[in-house]
Amino acid sequence: MDTKDKITEQPSRYDHLEQMSVGELLQHINEEDALVAQAVTLALPQIEALVKAIEPRMKRGGRLFYIGAGTSGRLGVLDASELPPTFGVPSDWVMGIIAGGDQALRHAVEHAEDIAERGWKDLLAHHPTPDDTLLGIAASGTTPYVVDAVRQACAHGLLTGCITSNPNTPLAQAADYPIETIVGPEFVTGSSRMKSGTAQKMVLNMISTTLMIRLGRVQGNRMVNMQLTNDKLIDRGTRMLQDSLGLSYNEARQRLLEAGSVSDCL
């Protein structure tokens, strides 16, 4: 796929950015960001199909892996790392893999995304099974590290999906369930950390949150299995129990701390 064919590499709709005022820059970035939700809306059928395919596998004990490079990889790691404290799930239910390893979370690792065979090798360290799912994340849809990992995962019987910001990419062609969020050219030409990254974050939130709800980690509209890792969360859990059980604040707090989670008190 040639660079000229990638929407993510097309020139920005705006020019002479350095001549704009702060207010103009912010306004135009906001105008572009408003297009992201529209693109995600159009992709809802693709997202739904993927989630429906993942759910039975996770109920059988399968795991969900995100794999990406740069911004895409960081967003996958971020989403995965937030699920244990939010929903009280084991850290290996959903895992993020980034080209270049943990060092790449803070510092660019040169050419890490260009080593095609490395993505599958990094996944192999987690001993994947056919009940697992690999979700490749790449705005361009051409990142060798991600594309090859998805192809190898398919060949070894894993369920595969992807999130990309270009249509008909090698990554989408390799995945069982492609998700294409076509957000258009970036405000700063080629800077896919902007609209493409925002779309990826939105889709990852939707996928993981929906799965956690379907897997019984939410009751009503509340995170009843959240880990009590700070005072804010203890207070939130205490108030949940007050509302549900009609207890005083102190009674609810004591019961929560003894049980360890809201769900164990209900």
Side-chain angles (χ1 to χ4, degrees), residues 80-161:
S81 65
E82 290 178 338
L83 300 183
T86 303
F87 298 105
V89 298
S91 60
D92 63 353
W93 270 27
V94 181
M95 288 180 277
I97 299 172
I98 182 171
D102 286 352
Q103 180 184 353
L105 293 173
R106 292 182 179 272
H107 305 284
V109 177
E110 291 186 6
H111 300 296
E113 67 177 59
D114 299 324
I115 306 174
E117 65 275 10
R118 189 68 219 179
W120 176 244
K121 288 182 180 179
D122 287 346
L123 182 61
L124 281 179
H126 300 281
H127 309 289
T129 75
D131 275 336
D132 293 334
T133 301
L134 181 65
L135 178 60
I137 314 169
S140 67
T142 59
T143 306
Y145 177 88
V146 179
V147 175
D148 187 70
V150 170
R151 285 176 178 158
Q152 291 288 345
C154 281
H156 288 81
L158 279 72
L159 180 75
T160 60

Side-chain angles (χ1 to χ4, degrees), residues 36-45:
V36 176
Q38 299 174 27
V40 173
T41 296
L42 293 175
L44 281 175

Side-chain angles (χ1 to χ4, degrees), residues 241-262:
L241 291 181
Q242 277 189 284
D243 292 343
S244 299
L245 303 178
L247 302 174
S248 70
Y249 185 90
N250 288 336
E251 290 173 330
R253 188 176 191 277
Q254 181 176 350
R255 186 174 297 191
L256 175 65
L257 293 175
E258 290 174 351
S261 73
V262 173

